[in-house]
Amino acid sequence: MKQLIITALTTIMVSVSVSAQQLKFTEYDLKNGLHVILHEDKSAPIVAVSVMYHVGSKDEDPRRTGFAHFFEHLLFEGTEHMKRGEFMKIVSSNGGQNNANTSQDRTFYYEIFPSNQLELGLWLESERMLHPKIDEVGVKTQNEVVKEEKRLRVDNSPYGKFTEKIFSNLFQGHPYSWQPIGSMAHLDEAKLSEFLTFFKKYYIPNNAVLVIAGDIDIHKSKALVEKYFSDIPAGPKVVKQVFELKPIKEQLIDTVYDANIQVPAIFAAYRIPNMESRDNKVMGMISSLLSAGGSSRLSMKLVDTKKTAVNVSAFSFDMEDHSAFITLALPNKNTPLNDLLKDIDAEVECLKIELISQKELKKLQNQFENNYVSVNSKMIGLAENLANGYTFKNKQTNAINEELKIIQSISAEEIRSVAQKYLNHNERVILYYLPQK
C-alpha cells in the first residue's frame, strides 16, 4: 500500500510538472520551404522522426477518390536506393517502429528509434520525399492491400459505414462527403501518370513539416536535416481550394442496412466549426460531459438508470474546414431507437437551458489536462501535436502551449451558449443503422 501511495504521488507530481511547464522547441525553414521543428527531451534514449504532408482526401479529384490514403501505403514501396519491401525491415532491424495514417486533411509518417539511429530515420524520410518507387508493380500491389483494408475496416466491420453515410449528408458539396479510403473503382481506373502527378503536386518539402522529438542535440540535428533534406527541390506552391457549404435548414434522415450487425443503432450528427476554433474546443468539452466515462450524463441516464442502452456515446470528429459532432446509442432489450434519441435530446436540451455545475466544469478541465499530459508525454504524440499546430493553426506551432489556457478559460456560460448555437434539431442528420436480414 505504501508503494502504491508513493507511485500515485509521483504520478501527480510528474503530471503537474509537465502541465505547468512550457514545451520548448526550435523551428525554422529550409530554403526549399520545408518547415522543421526540433524538441529536445533527454528523459529517455529514444527519438521520433515524423513528416506531416498537408494533403488528405479533401485534396482529391472527385473522380479519383482514395489517392491520399493510397499514397500512405504506396510510399512504403521502396526508393531508388532501397529495394521493394525493405523500408519496414530496415526500421525493425534497427530497433525501431514505424507507421503512417491519413485523414481528410493530412498524411502523417513517422518512425520511433533508439536515439543513436536518428540519422537513419532522417535518411528514410528524405528517401520517401525525394525519390520513392512509384511504378506499375507498386501500384498494383498496394491496390490489393487497400482493397483488403476496405473489406476489413468498412465492408465487413460492424457499423463500419456510419461515417460514410453521415458525412455524405452532413457535408454535401464538400470533399468531406467522401471518406479517405475512397472508391476502389476510382483506384482501378487511375493511370500511373495520375499517381505521379498527385505525388509531384503534394509530397514536396514546401507542403510538409518535419518534426524531430526526443533525445537529440539541436545543433547536430540541424546539420543532419540540412544534409538529407536541403537538396530536395521545392514544388509549386499548393493552393487549397475553398468550398462553400450550404446551411442545413431541416433535419435530414437516412438509413443504413448492415449484414454485419444484430443490434441496431441510432446516430445524430451536427456540423460544427473547424479544429482551430474556440467553439470547437467547447464542443469537445460537451462531448466529454455527455459521454466520457461511466459517470457521464448519458451513460448514467441510459445505461445505468433506465437501462435502455448497452452503449451510448458523443464525440467530435475534428477537421480543418468543418467538424462533426456525433451522438450514438445501441439499445438494450429492444428499446425503440426513437426512445433513445429522445433521451439523448433531453440531455442536450438541458445543456442549452441550465448551466453545468462548477464541480462538473472542474472535472472536465482535469480530464482535458490529464489527456494533454498523457499525449505529450510520448514523443510521437508530442511530434504530431507540434506538426498539427504548424499545419492547421496558421503556422502557430506554439498553440501546443496555449491549449490548457483555452480549456481553463471556458466557462459554464460559454458551454451553454455553444450548445445553443450548434445542437439544433433542424440542423442535423439522423441515421438509423439497422441489421440487414
Side-chain angles (χ1 to χ4, degrees):
M1 178 62 72
K2 182 179 178 181
Q3 183 60 44
L4 288 174
I5 294 173
I6 292 173
T7 301
L9 288 173
T10 302
T11 301
I12 292 171
M13 290 172 66
V14 170
S15 296
V16 171
S17 174
V18 172
S19 63
Q21 293 178 0
Q22 292 283 296
L23 291 165
K24 297 180 180 179
F25 54 87
T26 299
E27 61 179 334
Y28 60 99
D29 288 325
L30 295 183
K31 290 181 180 180
N32 57 15
L34 177 67
H35 192 70
V36 182
I37 304 173
L38 308 175
H39 170 73
E40 183 178 323
D41 184 333
K42 300 289 187 181
S43 60
I46 61 170
V47 63
V49 177
S50 68
V51 176
M52 180 176 287
Y53 293 93
H54 195 181
V55 56
S57 57
K58 180 181 68 180
D59 303 291
E60 297 164 348
D61 184 326
R63 298 164 299 179
R64 288 292 182 266
T65 63
F67 264 44
H69 173 259
F70 191 84
F71 267 94
E72 175 198 320
H73 293 265
L74 189 61
L75 295 187
F76 281 102
E77 272 291 300
T79 72
E80 293 178 12
H81 303 115
M82 193 187 313
K83 293 181 180 179
R84 193 180 306 279
E86 287 293 305
F87 195 106
M88 295 183 183
K89 292 179 182 178
I90 292 173
V91 173
S92 60
S93 63
N94 285 278
Q97 305 171 32
N98 69 282
N99 213 328
N101 53 71
T102 308
S103 74
Q104 282 81 355
D105 305 300
R106 94 290 181 273
T107 305
F108 186 63
Y109 298 92
Y110 68 86
E111 293 80 39
I112 304 171
F113 276 116
S115 52
N116 61 0
Q117 296 294 340
L118 169 60
E119 185 168 2
L120 174 61
L122 292 174
W123 175 74
L124 288 168
E125 288 303 333
S126 67
E127 282 288 294
R128 195 199 307 269
M129 187 183 293
L130 182 56
H131 28 54
K133 192 173 292 182
I134 302 175
D135 56 23
E136 294 286 3
V137 175
V139 168
K140 184 177 180 179
T141 301
Q142 294 307 323
N143 201 347
E144 294 305 313
V145 172
V146 171
K147 285 179 180 177
E148 181 58 28
E149 180 180 345
K150 185 174 185 293
R151 284 190 286 266
L152 179 65
R153 295 188 178 183
V154 180
D155 299 340
N156 298 317
S157 176
Y159 313 100
K161 297 179 181 179
F162 84 88
T163 51
E164 176 184 328
K165 201 66 173 177
I166 286 175
F167 279 36
S168 66
N169 285 291
L170 200 61
F171 299 113
Q172 292 181 33
H174 191 285
Y176 288 166
S177 60
W178 64 80
Q179 293 298 293
I181 194 74
S183 163
M184 300 303 101
H186 291 176
L187 295 177
D188 287 340
E189 294 165 2
K191 299 177 181 178
L192 180 61
S193 59
E194 293 176 271
F195 289 107
L196 290 168
T197 299
F198 193 81
F199 174 81
K200 291 176 182 178
K201 181 175 181 179
Y202 292 109
Y203 298 83
I204 50 179
N206 46 311
N207 194 47
V209 53
L210 167 69
V211 183
I212 307 170
D215 181 19
I216 62 173
D217 176 276
I218 298 294
H219 179 72
K220 293 179 180 178
S221 298
K222 284 185 174 182
L224 289 173
V225 170
E226 183 74 19
K227 175 181 177 180
Y228 288 104
F229 289 90
S230 62
D231 291 336
I232 301 176
K237 182 180 178 181
V238 176
V239 179
K240 295 286 182 175
Q241 187 173 349
V242 177
F243 299 91
E244 295 293 334
L245 274 177
K246 294 180 180 179
I248 298 174
K249 296 183 178 181
E250 61 180 16
Q251 181 172 271
L252 303 174
I253 299 175
D254 208 344
T255 304
V256 166
Y257 294 93
D258 189 342
N260 301 302
I261 66 170
Q262 295 180 322
V263 179
I266 188 164
F267 296 82
Y270 307 80
R271 190 189 297 164
I272 62 173
N274 63 41
M275 63 173 71
E276 294 181 28
S277 69
R278 182 181 175 90
D279 282 0
N280 181 277
K281 298 289 189 297
V282 179
M283 289 302 303
M285 294 185 77
I286 289 174
S287 70
S288 292
L289 178 69
L290 289 175
S291 72
S295 61
S296 60
R297 291 189 176 190
L298 289 179
S299 182
M300 290 184 67
K301 180 176 183 178
L302 277 73
V303 178
D304 295 340
T305 303
K306 299 186 74 171
K307 294 180 171 52
T308 53
V310 294
N311 185 281
V312 61
S313 184
F315 57 93
S316 295
F317 202 114
D318 295 337
M319 296 174 291
E320 184 177 17
D321 291 356
H322 309 272
S323 298
F325 179 83
I326 301 174
T327 66
L328 72 95
L330 276 67
N332 184 31
K333 298 179 180 178
N334 297 316
T335 301
L337 295 180
N338 285 335
D339 288 357
L340 297 178
L341 182 61
K342 288 178 183 177
D343 281 340
I344 294 173
D345 285 346
E347 288 301 315
V348 170
E349 289 304 310
C350 183
L351 279 177
K352 295 164 70 174
I353 297 170
E354 301 175 6
L355 295 178
I356 68 171
S357 68
Q358 286 301 306
K359 182 179 178 181
E360 285 180 305
L361 182 60
K362 186 61 178 177
K363 178 183 175 182
L364 287 172
Q365 291 171 343
N366 290 340
Q367 286 176 341
F368 276 76
E369 182 169 346
N370 288 337
N371 181 64
Y372 173 91
V373 172
S374 176
V375 171
N376 290 325
S377 65
K378 299 175 182 178
M379 287 303 101
I380 192 57
L382 178 61
E384 185 169 7
N385 279 340
L386 287 168
N388 281 334
Y390 178 80
T391 304
F392 300 118
K393 299 183 185 299
N394 196 27
K395 300 184 179 180
Q396 297 298 314
T397 310
N398 197 53
I400 195 170
N401 285 319
E402 302 299 319
E403 191 78 17
L404 289 182
K405 294 178 184 177
I406 295 173
I407 294 300
Q408 291 162 356
S409 70
I410 292 172
S411 65
E413 288 80 7
E414 191 171 6
I415 288 174
R416 180 175 64 182
S417 174
V418 168
Q420 292 171 350
K421 190 173 183 181
Y422 300 107
L423 301 180
N424 299 304
H425 292 188
N426 64 319
E427 298 175 312
R428 69 180 181 180
V429 174
I430 299 298
L431 180 66
Y432 292 90
Y433 209 104
L434 308 177
Q436 181 177 330
K437 296 181 180 180

